[in-house]
Amino acid sequence: MIERRKPIPIGEAVQKIMEYQLQGLTEYVSINESFGRFLSEDLMATSDVPHFDRAPYDGFAVRSIDTREASQSNSVEFEVIDHLGAGMVSPKVVGQNQAVRIMTGAMMPEGTDAVVMFEVAKDYEKNESPYMSIKRSFNKGDNVSFAGEDAKEGEVLVKKGTLINPGIQAMLATFGYKDVPVAKKPVVGLFATGTELLEVDESLVPGKIRNSNSHMIAAQIERVGGIVQYFGKLPDEFDTCFDAVKDALTKVDLLITTGGVSVGDFDYLPAIYKKLGAEVFFNKVAMRPGSVTTVAGYKGKILFGLSGNPSACYVGFELFARPIIRRQLFSKKPHLRKEKAVLEVDFPKANPFTRFVRSSTFIEDGRLKATPSGLDKSNIIMSLAGANSLMILPGGTRGFSAGDDVDVLLLEDQVGSEWPW
Amino acid sequence: MIERRKPIPIGEAVQKIMEYQLQGLTEYVSINESFGRFLSEDLMATSDVPHFDRAPYDGFAVRSIDTREASQSNSVEFEVIDHLGAGMVSPKVVGQNQAVRIMTGAMMPEGTDAVVMFEVAKDYEKNESPYMSIKRSFNKGDNVSFAGEDAKEGEVLVKKGTLINPGIQAMLATFGYKDVPVAKKPVVGLFATGTELLEVDESLVPGKIRNSNSHMIAAQIERVGGIVQYFGKLPDEFDTCFDAVKDALTKVDLLITTGGVSVGDFDYLPAIYKKLGAEVFFNKVAMRPGSVTTVAGYKGKILFGLSGNPSACYVGFELFARPIIRRQLFSKKPHLRKEKAVLEVDFPKANPFTRFVRSSTFIEDGRLKATPSGLDKSNIIMSLAGANSLMILPGGTRGFSAGDDVDVLLLEDQVGSEWPW
């Protein structure tokens, strides 16, 4: 007898997972290892930036009051009493008609309030001492970067949940974050099921294929920001299988299995969920591919029973596992980023269910366009390689034509969506 | 005296670097570590996929010839002689009016050439043996995935220089690539210069700031696919400084210094290049920020003298260092990806030189739009954190208005451009 399952809408399926309480955790890593991690706390300015008034250009620091009379017809002379590189601090107080030669980034000497750029000064020596003269006046603050101009102490500059990019690395360094609070990477366990599966280093034999799903999902876990713990192939025998799953659950935050979740004669996963006493959120979703995806909660962990079919497996991970992993990374936009694109080709197939078509999305003349990436049979992994997106073709439609607007989910993007459903 | 330098156009500067011969190298890494690396050889199908005829659905494998007489009014009966899960191979040869119960992915038994899906079959027992009957005919090949349907042995499926994504991981596994030929990551040395620089764990003192450029550039090196070797701050004394640079050059593929490259009074780098006998490709570029970038070749290595100014440093790396690193990773599109976007706000500043404005580029209703990310002073690192792109505002223009088309270079993208200049 074939078991009848009731498919639920995609948005509802995702919501059931997101409602399950999983908390993100903080760990501290050296700033040298924080690139690409997610901030688990707000990044705060621990000082003003700059934290002293400084010269933004090479030139001469002066008292603007002394420049008042300078003009094309009236050159004003200054004695150059010191010479500062960035990082140096002058011990001198600058008096009337005195100046300090100053390099970009150096602290303004006491008494000065403007910088005369080299280009508008004439420098020379008199009695073996350096002098310079100018033929224009300056206002207080001209060519000075003031303390706090870029950031004020105490200001929140980057929100928690943000992916650390090179610019944020610079900010972390500026504010002395030697150790950076980042989201602990969730550990995602991975089992493959299937008598037909060979390991990557085994030779092909009739009827068997190499296990590609585990390597694919492992990469998807890494891409989203998790750590993979691969437990190998589940044994064929039910009790051993059950023990392996139960034991693995003690070692991971989430557990993914590929295959064995359907209603085929050798699909053990449903029975395992049952014996565990796991709360099955759903075991069928109104979508193609991936309709037989099963997700269950068990003692604060989530079990993802993804289809053994490569496309369904891929899509199931991105729709259902990605967002909960990203939420553990404190992301405010944990779901795949959804954008509108123009369909480049006809897609005449009718869709009783919402269909996710592996696609290549690209930009042409400032416009997002999308085209299916290769033959779209659900057992074809080839088209996954070229796919950077999933085109969403809503259910209940009779096909689409080139030029139609379609929604696409971007796979390689790090921005995300709040709630695309 | 201020040295006069002759600025060269950006495209010419980039070209001079790209013409310098640097070869990419191959190394083999385990498939478990190949995600995110760049293929250094074409990925070839080492077998047909599938490599045997198989059932794409659960059902009964039959000889289509036996179904010819089946119709709504004429039910045809089959004896079910075997039961196959994926990975199993039937030892039996299927004869007249015989069938094999078969699961998705299993090899077609000898003699069969079509699969009857469960939904259209009626199964029952007779004399304690399994039987099934159908009321429609099937053609040879119906519901069969044929060997070689997805890929043919010997076919090149992914070109060298491609970034390995989860789909490619699946293909590598399918074809038995236990060890994957990938581009060796170039080792990029990094020196900071500047008396004003404190390390990240040092307390602020007047006139000094923490070294943020090294952490920023280190992240940029990682993002593009290189390995960072940080050598710390260059000493202030010329000879020690020269020895440090010369020694570092023996340990890295490329060497980046930040600061000390301008015409300021404490800028040693030009003298170091001279004493080394390095071939200076250029020491000034017609652009803002980053005009004082200096790049030189020396014994098959390249020295990048980036500005100490954070914005200039950032832009200098992305325009000049990124493409040569990506070329060592065998990328066919080593430069930042250039796309057209609609400017969201007025940018009234006149541009005597081509200006790179740190920007946030986003998609709205399928259209690329861009807006400067915060105040755009060249010493402000804050706006770098929010920037995902550099807007190119060509030199010789009087400013831009909201709604104008502008070119943007995408910083977080992995696609790249062949030659954007």
Side-chain angles (χ1 to χ4, degrees):
Chain A
M1 268 303 88
I2 297 173
E3 175 199 347
R4 292 268 162 236
R5 294 180 178 179
K6 191 174 170 294
I8 68 169
I10 300 162
E12 200 179 306
V14 176
Q15 197 178 8
K16 277 175 188 279
I17 298 167
M18 298 306 275
E19 277 168 2
Y20 201 69
Q21 287 312 310
L22 290 181
Q23 296 302 320
L25 297 172
T26 288
E27 68 179 354
Y28 282 81
V29 299
S30 157
I31 187 172
N32 299 321
E33 286 153 17
S34 63
F35 170 67
R37 301 294 296 267
F38 290 79
L39 279 175
S40 66
E41 292 173 15
D42 292 343
L43 191 165
M44 179 130 42
T46 55
S47 67
D48 284 353
V49 175
H51 67 101
F52 50 86
D53 296 348
R54 69 183 175 191
Y57 306 110
D58 296 346
F60 297 97
V62 295
R63 311 180 335 154
S64 61
I65 195 174
D66 299 337
T67 72
R68 229 182 321 182
E69 305 301 322
S71 69
Q72 276 307 317
S73 55
N74 184 37
S75 169
V76 172
E77 184 180 77
F78 291 81
E79 182 194 0
V80 180
I81 61 166
D82 205 353
H83 184 180
L84 294 180
M88 301 178 187
V89 176
S90 181
K92 297 184 182 166
V93 178
V94 175
Q96 200 180 339
N97 282 69
Q98 290 184 326
V100 168
R101 188 177 168 97
I102 193 168
M103 297 291 112
T104 305
M107 186 162 95
M108 295 292 288
E110 209 178 325
T112 63
D113 61 7
V115 171
V116 175
M117 288 160 80
F118 282 148
E119 295 88 304
V120 296
K122 188 178 151 195
D123 60 331
Y124 50 93
E125 291 207 345
K126 217 167 73 174
N127 312 325
E128 294 187 10
S129 289
Y131 278 79
M132 71 97 178
S133 66
I134 55 174
K135 290 189 161 196
R136 52 160 288 201
S137 64
F138 287 81
N139 291 319
K140 189 179 158 80
D142 278 356
N143 300 328
V144 177
S145 287
F146 290 102
E149 191 175 271
D150 293 1
K152 292 257 179 270
E153 184 175 339
E155 220 178 313
V156 169
L157 298 170
V158 186
K159 289 278 187 193
K160 84 173 186 185
T162 305
L163 184 68
I164 298 175
N165 65 20
I168 295 175
Q169 283 285 105
M171 291 171 66
L172 289 166
T174 296
F175 295 116
Y177 283 81
K178 182 178 181 252
D179 297 304
V180 182
V182 297
K184 202 162 178 304
K185 293 184 172 207
V187 178
V188 186
L190 186 56
F191 274 116
T193 73
T195 319
E196 76 277 24
L197 298 182
L198 301 168
E199 288 306 324
V200 63
D201 53 352
E202 291 185 273
S203 294
L204 294 179
V205 294
K208 303 214 174 198
I209 58 172
R210 295 198 189 93
N211 172 11
S212 59
N213 282 342
S214 294
H215 293 281
M216 180 180 76
I217 290 287
Q220 287 175 281
I221 292 169
E222 281 189 58
R223 179 167 68 184
V224 72
I227 290 175
V228 186
Q229 188 159 353
Y230 181 52
F231 294 112
K233 238 176 67 180
L234 271 182
D236 285 331
E237 201 271 315
F238 181 82
D239 287 331
T240 332
C241 200
F242 175 81
D243 291 343
V245 168
K246 196 164 177 185
D247 181 53
L249 277 166
T250 65
K251 298 174 180 159
V252 299
D253 298 305
L254 305 165
L255 184 64
I256 292 177
T257 50
T258 60
V261 80
S262 188
V263 293
D265 303 344
F266 303 91
D267 291 329
Y268 289 144
L269 265 298
I272 291 178
Y273 296 139
K274 196 165 176 192
K275 187 169 173 188
L276 268 177
E279 174 194 354
V280 174
F281 301 150
F282 54 86
N283 60 15
K284 190 151 193 171
V285 188
M287 62 187 255
R288 293 285 183 279
S291 66
V292 296
T293 308
T294 298
V295 180
Y298 175 70
K299 296 192 178 173
K301 318 255 165 134
I302 300 181
L303 293 96
F304 294 87
L306 303 180
S307 166
N309 167 308
S311 297
C313 186
Y314 189 99
V315 170
F317 178 89
E318 294 296 333
L319 297 191
F320 303 119
R322 181 194 204 273
I324 195 77
I325 295 174
R326 274 287 160 95
R327 201 180 66 189
Q328 290 185 279
L329 298 172
F330 300 97
S331 172
K332 296 277 191 302
K333 295 181 169 182
H335 304 275
L336 284 176
R337 177 171 169 193
K338 186 164 93 170
E339 296 290 356
K340 275 212 176 337
V342 177
L343 182 58
E344 275 281 284
V345 296
D346 291 340
F347 194 92
K349 215 150 140 191
N351 285 311
F353 294 98
T354 297
R355 179 174 291 275
F356 295 90
V357 182
R358 297 180 291 285
S359 300
S360 158
T361 294
F362 55 98
I363 302 164
E364 203 173 83
D365 232 5
R367 266 193 176 282
L368 222 56
K369 303 193 170 183
T371 191
S373 54
L375 218 58
D376 212 82
K377 287 206 176 178
S378 70
N379 57 347
I380 296 182
I381 58 157
M382 302 307 140
S383 67
L384 283 175
N388 62 9
S389 50
L390 299 170
M391 197 185 287
I392 309 179
L393 299 180
T397 49
R398 282 160 179 268
F400 292 83
S401 312
D404 284 355
D405 268 356
V406 291
D407 284 329
V408 290
L409 299 173
L410 304 182
L411 295 164
E412 298 288 349
D413 159 87
Q414 294 290 5
V415 175
S417 281
E418 274 180 48
W419 179 255
W421 307 112
Chain B
M1 270 304 87
I2 297 172
E3 175 199 348
R4 293 267 161 238
R5 293 180 177 178
K6 192 174 168 295
I8 69 168
I10 300 162
E12 201 179 306
V14 175
Q15 198 178 7
K16 276 173 188 281
I17 298 167
M18 298 305 275
E19 278 169 1
Y20 202 70
Q21 288 310 312
L22 291 181
Q23 297 301 322
L25 297 171
T26 288
E27 67 180 355
Y28 282 81
V29 298
S30 155
I31 187 172
N32 300 320
E33 286 153 17
S34 63
F35 170 65
R37 301 294 297 266
F38 290 79
L39 280 175
S40 66
E41 290 172 18
D42 293 344
L43 191 165
M44 180 131 41
T46 55
S47 67
D48 284 353
V49 175
H51 67 101
F52 50 86
D53 295 349
R54 68 184 176 191
Y57 307 109
D58 295 346
F60 297 97
V62 297
R63 310 181 334 155
S64 59
I65 194 172
D66 299 337
T67 72
R68 228 179 326 179
E69 305 300 323
S71 69
Q72 275 309 315
S73 56
N74 184 37
S75 171
V76 173
E77 184 180 76
F78 292 81
E79 183 194 2
V80 180
I81 61 165
D82 204 353
H83 183 179
L84 293 182
M88 301 178 186
V89 177
S90 181
K92 299 184 180 165
V93 178
V94 176
Q96 198 178 343
N97 282 66
Q98 291 184 325
V100 168
R101 188 176 167 97
I102 192 168
M103 297 291 115
T104 306
M107 186 162 96
M108 295 293 289
E110 207 176 324
T112 64
D113 61 8
V115 171
V116 174
M117 289 160 79
F118 282 148
E119 295 89 302
V120 296
K122 188 179 153 196
D123 59 332
Y124 49 92
E125 291 207 344
K126 218 167 73 175
N127 310 325
E128 293 186 13
S129 288
Y131 278 80
M132 70 96 179
S133 67
I134 55 174
K135 291 190 160 195
R136 52 159 287 204
S137 63
F138 287 81
N139 291 318
K140 189 178 158 81
D142 278 353
N143 301 327
V144 177
S145 286
F146 289 102
E149 190 176 90
D150 293 0
K152 291 256 179 273
E153 184 175 338
E155 220 178 312
V156 168
L157 298 171
V158 187
K159 289 279 186 190
K160 82 173 186 186
T162 304
L163 185 67
I164 298 175
N165 65 19
I168 295 175
Q169 283 285 104
M171 290 170 66
L172 289 166
T174 296
F175 296 115
Y177 283 80
K178 181 176 181 251
D179 297 303
V180 182
V182 298
K184 202 162 179 302
K185 293 185 172 207
V187 177
V188 186
L190 186 56
F191 274 116
T193 74
T195 319
E196 76 278 22
L197 298 181
L198 302 167
E199 286 306 324
V200 63
D201 52 352
E202 291 185 275
S203 294
L204 294 179
V205 294
K208 302 214 173 197
I209 59 171
R210 295 198 189 92
N211 172 11
S212 61
N213 281 344
S214 294
H215 293 281
M216 179 180 76
I217 292 287
Q220 288 175 280
I221 293 168
E222 280 188 59
R223 180 166 68 184
V224 72
I227 290 175
V228 186
Q229 187 158 355
Y230 181 52
F231 294 111
K233 238 175 67 179
L234 271 182
D236 285 330
E237 202 271 316
F238 180 82
D239 287 331
T240 331
C241 200
F242 174 80
D243 291 343
V245 168
K246 197 165 176 183
D247 181 54
L249 278 167
T250 64
K251 299 173 179 160
V252 299
D253 298 305
L254 304 165
L255 184 64
I256 292 177
T257 52
T258 60
V261 80
S262 188
V263 293
D265 303 345
F266 303 92
D267 291 329
Y268 290 144
L269 265 299
I272 291 178
Y273 295 139
K274 196 165 176 190
K275 188 170 172 187
L276 269 177
E279 174 194 354
V280 174
F281 302 151
F282 55 86
N283 60 16
K284 189 151 192 171
V285 188
M287 63 187 254
R288 294 285 184 278
S291 66
V292 297
T293 310
T294 298
V295 179
Y298 175 71
K299 296 191 178 174
K301 317 255 166 136
I302 300 182
L303 294 95
F304 294 87
L306 303 180
S307 166
N309 166 310
S311 297
C313 187
Y314 189 99
V315 171
F317 178 89
E318 295 295 334
L319 297 191
F320 304 119
R322 180 194 204 276
I324 195 77
I325 295 174
R326 275 287 160 93
R327 201 180 64 190
Q328 288 186 279
L329 298 171
F330 299 97
S331 172
K332 296 276 191 302
K333 294 180 169 183
H335 305 274
L336 284 176
R337 177 172 169 192
K338 186 164 92 170
E339 295 290 356
K340 274 213 177 336
V342 178
L343 182 58
E344 273 283 283
V345 295
D346 291 340
F347 194 90
K349 216 151 139 190
N351 285 311
F353 294 97
T354 297
R355 178 175 291 276
F356 294 90
V357 183
R358 295 181 292 284
S359 301
S360 158
T361 294
F362 54 99
I363 302 164
E364 203 174 82
D365 231 5
R367 267 193 178 281
L368 223 56
K369 302 192 172 183
T371 191
S373 55
L375 217 58
D376 213 80
K377 288 205 172 180
S378 69
N379 56 348
I380 295 181
I381 58 158
M382 303 307 142
S383 67
L384 283 174
N388 62 8
S389 49
L390 299 170
M391 197 185 284
I392 310 178
L393 299 181
T397 49
R398 281 159 179 268
F400 293 82
S401 312
D404 284 355
D405 268 357
V406 290
D407 284 330
V408 290
L409 299 173
L410 304 182
L411 295 164
E412 298 288 350
D413 159 88
Q414 294 290 6
V415 175
S417 281
E418 274 180 48
W419 179 254
W421 307 112

